[in-house]
Amino acid sequence: MNTLPRALWRHPEFQLGAREMAAPALGIAAWGLVTGVAMVKSGLSLAQALAMTLLVFAGSAQLAALPLLVAGAPLWVILATGFCVNLRFVIFSARWRGYFGHLPRVRRLAMLYAAGDLTFVNFVRRFPEAAPDERQLPYFWGALSVNWGAWQIASVAGILAAEQIPSHWGLGFAGVLALLGLSYSLATERAQWAVAAVAAGVALLTYGLPLKLYIVAAIVAACVTGHVLERARR
């Protein structure tokens, strides 16, 4: 039982996954810090905030749910909002299935709890063909360990320090800048910039939709644009 984690840690693909996630981890940590502060500033107790960051582990969904919790919105509205914000993971999961569909369901569910956006991006970049490979699991856990660790450490730090951080420091804006920096580092091709521009335009045009459905609209538009550009390139 003890040899498997040791073998995993020492696997070259685990170390590669961790190294490739190290640079964006700074932006992830900044976003986690902002989310931790926001949870306490929104009125959650220390225990509630810690439970939310450890159990939910979904920054955008957490931030979307916070104002609804404060406003006393019905539970179904909060759940529906979190579902809509995280719909992109349905698309991610469809792609993950090609790599990990053969694994037991319980194991896949544990993996998906900690999987994030950048984990998916780096993984697909490393393994573009959606077929099982013995190197994939070590790489996945290496990237995931850095991603999860950076987020949770910063988020817990934000929760513990929230009362000492004045609201006028504008940490929310710093978090947005961190996300923009992460996005900029990932866009290395013209097609990716085109997809980002379409998604941004659709998000602005549909911003008035309820339940933050403009996020879903932007994701769908980005997927369609990316698919069309990919087919045109072939």
Side-chain angles (χ1 to χ4, degrees):
M1 293 292 292
N2 293 329
T3 57
L4 181 60
R6 189 178 303 168
L8 189 66
W9 277 74
R10 292 180 175 177
H11 198 289
E13 289 292 332
F14 182 97
Q15 297 169 12
L16 177 62
R19 284 199 303 273
E20 292 188 346
M21 188 57 71
L26 294 174
I28 293 169
W31 189 233
L33 180 68
V34 170
T35 304
V37 173
M39 285 190 286
V40 176
K41 296 288 189 185
S42 298
L44 296 185
S45 67
L46 181 64
Q48 289 172 331
L50 288 173
M52 190 176 196
T53 193
L54 291 174
L55 296 176
V56 179
F57 185 48
S60 53
Q62 289 174 233
L63 289 176
L66 284 176
L68 298 176
L69 288 170
V70 173
L75 180 61
W76 73 267
V77 173
I78 298 172
L79 293 177
T81 301
F83 177 78
C84 292
V85 171
N86 279 332
L87 267 180
R88 66 190 186 282
F89 283 98
V90 175
I91 300 170
F92 294 171
S93 296
R95 186 69 185 273
W96 286 121
R97 185 174 180 80
Y99 302 99
F100 302 130
H102 62 288
L103 297 177
R105 180 171 299 174
V106 173
R107 192 173 180 183
R108 281 181 281 151
L109 289 173
M111 293 167 67
L112 288 177
Y113 152 73
D117 300 74
L118 290 176
T119 308
F120 176 81
V121 171
N122 280 5
F123 184 90
V124 173
R125 184 179 293 168
R126 171 62 175 152
F127 302 103
E129 184 178 354
D133 186 314
E134 64 179 10
R135 300 170 299 170
Q136 291 167 353
L137 272 177
Y139 182 92
F140 176 87
W141 286 113
L144 185 147
S145 61
V146 174
N147 183 46
W148 189 88
W151 173 270
Q152 295 294 3
I153 291 172
S155 183
V156 171
I159 292 170
L160 298 177
E163 297 298 339
Q164 282 71 46
I165 298 177
S167 300
H168 66 268
W169 280 14
L171 281 183
F173 183 65
V176 173
L177 290 180
L179 283 181
L180 286 175
L182 288 173
S183 302
Y184 178 78
S185 67
L186 294 174
T188 57
E189 300 177 4
R190 288 185 179 179
Q192 293 169 332
W193 281 105
V195 170
V198 170
V202 171
L204 291 173
L205 291 172
T206 59
Y207 188 74
L209 291 176
L211 298 176
K212 297 185 182 296
L213 286 175
Y214 67 93
I215 298 175
V216 179
I219 292 171
V220 172
C223 291
V224 172
T225 304
H227 180 70
V228 170
L229 292 176
E230 184 67 24
R231 287 181 65 87
R233 186 162 59 180
R234 292 175 183 172

